[in-house]
Amino acid sequence: MDSILRLLMGPWTTYIIWVLSDQGPQRFGALKRAVPGISTRMLTERLRMLQGAGVIWREQEQTIPPAVTYGLTSRGNDLRGVLDTLGHIAERWKDEGVFAEDELGTV
């Protein structure tokens, strides 16, 4: 459990997995736009880490500039149930006002 929590709790990691789970395979630029606030460097680091862990796949087309697409592997798809559950909890908490701007400074 410790190892998977360390993997998922890295900066932006769960958000990236959620975007790929929700929106399917993404090119690098589209993924960067889908994760607001992430830097190019951080996205690159997280993607490399997730690829190394076998959670995502990377496909590069030999074009100029190279077209690189990322998606979830079967290991990454194993996390869909967890993400769906978190999504349901987030909706319930939102309805309860947990994410109100005055409480967390967001939304």
Side-chain angles (χ1 to χ4, degrees):
M1 186 67 166
D2 180 64
S3 297
I4 196 165
L5 288 175
R6 287 178 188 270
L7 174 75
L8 295 176
M9 294 303 125
W12 301 103
T13 304
T14 306
Y15 201 120
I16 293 166
I17 295 169
W18 174 73
V19 168
L20 292 172
S21 175
D22 187 58
Q23 300 178 18
Q26 300 283 307
R27 299 255 317 258
F28 185 89
L31 189 53
K32 187 171 185 314
R33 287 187 296 277
V35 183
I38 193 168
S39 69
T40 300
R41 178 179 175 207
M42 179 60 71
L43 180 57
T44 299
E45 287 176 7
R46 298 288 92 196
L47 290 171
R48 285 181 182 156
M49 185 271 307
L50 288 168
Q51 185 182 6
V55 175
I56 65 168
W57 52 262
R58 178 183 189 271
E59 182 178 283
Q60 181 173 334
E61 295 177 32
Q62 298 302 319
T63 59
I64 299 175
V68 181
T69 305
Y70 297 90
L72 294 179
T73 62
S74 59
R75 187 174 291 166
N77 282 318
D78 286 345
L79 298 170
R80 282 181 185 253
V82 173
L83 294 173
D84 289 344
T85 300
L86 284 173
H88 295 302
I89 293 169
E91 286 297 319
R92 189 177 74 238
W93 287 13
K94 180 181 174 187
D95 293 343
E96 294 170 0
V98 172
F99 302 124
E101 186 172 341
D102 57 323
E103 292 179 33
L104 297 176
T106 60
V107 178

